[in-house]
Amino acid sequence: DRAEAREVVLGEHAPELVTHADTGVDGAVEHPADDRVARRKPAQALAGESIAGVYSSPMQRAHATATIIAAPHGLPVVVRSGLNELDQGDLEGLKQDELRERYPELLRRWVAGDTSVKLPGGESMEELQSRVWTAVQDILVQHQANTVAIVSHNLAILAYICKALGVPLSVFRRLRQQT
């Protein structure tokens, strides 16, 4: 069940101006992105490429980065909700000490690599992977044999990469993205 494209360029949005230490757990919470050099780097790297489509999650920080990538190609940014970050539900905004106090068993399972653990009011990593995989495959069907740029989020991209590589989803913890 794989759609093929010549090349898929997956990128994470530009860094945010606030950190997780400032805001606690965040996934679907909007924070202003750093509008300086970080957003221009992917656009510069892809300026000479033939890009057939640019896609983004609906979050402003991803869309803003995708807009800069799309501009030199004269392309619109197409928003796909399936590219959004892990829905962390009731955990959004909680600091580490609050997580340990309120959800010790959930945190134990998460740290142990249980990708089936569903976050209260949110989703599991397995659900995230399924959602992102479907979204990307739908995009690739539309752009067979062409290059597409997709701007998403850390866990969403890592979940996709695990499936694309055919490795267990729990491997996501060992993967790193280059910024």
Side-chain angles (χ1 to χ4, degrees), residues 91 99 103-111 117-120:
L91 305 185
L99 282 172
Y103 301 100
E105 179 58 19
L106 178 137
L107 196 56
R108 184 197 65 73
R109 289 177 59 202
W110 175 264
V111 170
V117 67
K118 185 171 181 134
L119 304 180

Side-chain angles (χ1 to χ4, degrees), residues 93-148:
L94 295 182
K95 307 274 190 208
Q96 289 296 321
D97 57 340
E98 294 172 305
L99 282 172
R100 284 189 291 274
E101 182 182 311
R102 294 185 199 177
Y103 301 100
E105 179 58 19
L106 178 137
L107 196 56
R108 184 197 65 73
R109 289 177 59 202
W110 175 264
V111 170
D114 184 349
T115 58
S116 70
V117 67
K118 185 171 181 134
L119 304 180
E123 65 186 333
S124 70
M125 282 296 293
E126 291 172 357
E127 291 169 323
L128 169 69
Q129 184 180 59
S130 176
R131 172 172 53 80
V132 173
W133 183 262
T134 299
V136 173
Q137 294 307 296
D138 290 347
I139 291 166
L140 298 183
V141 165
Q142 296 174 28
H143 295 284
Q144 294 179 10
N146 293 302
T147 299
V148 294

Side-chain angles (χ1 to χ4, degrees), residues 47-113:
E49 299 291 323
S50 177
I51 305 289
V54 179
Y55 293 82
S56 169
S57 94
M59 298 194 77
Q60 190 276 334
R61 62 189 186 249
H63 191 273
T65 301
T67 298
I68 293 171
I69 292 170
H73 304 281
L75 295 170
V77 174
V78 180
V79 173
R80 293 282 191 260
S81 61
L83 300 173
N84 216 349
E85 182 60 294
L86 177 70
D87 181 352
Q88 298 184 21
D90 299 343
L91 305 185
E92 295 279 354
L94 295 182
K95 307 274 190 208
Q96 289 296 321
D97 57 340
E98 294 172 305
L99 282 172
R100 284 189 291 274
E101 182 182 311
R102 294 185 199 177
Y103 301 100
E105 179 58 19
L106 178 137
L107 196 56
R108 184 197 65 73
R109 289 177 59 202
W110 175 264
V111 170

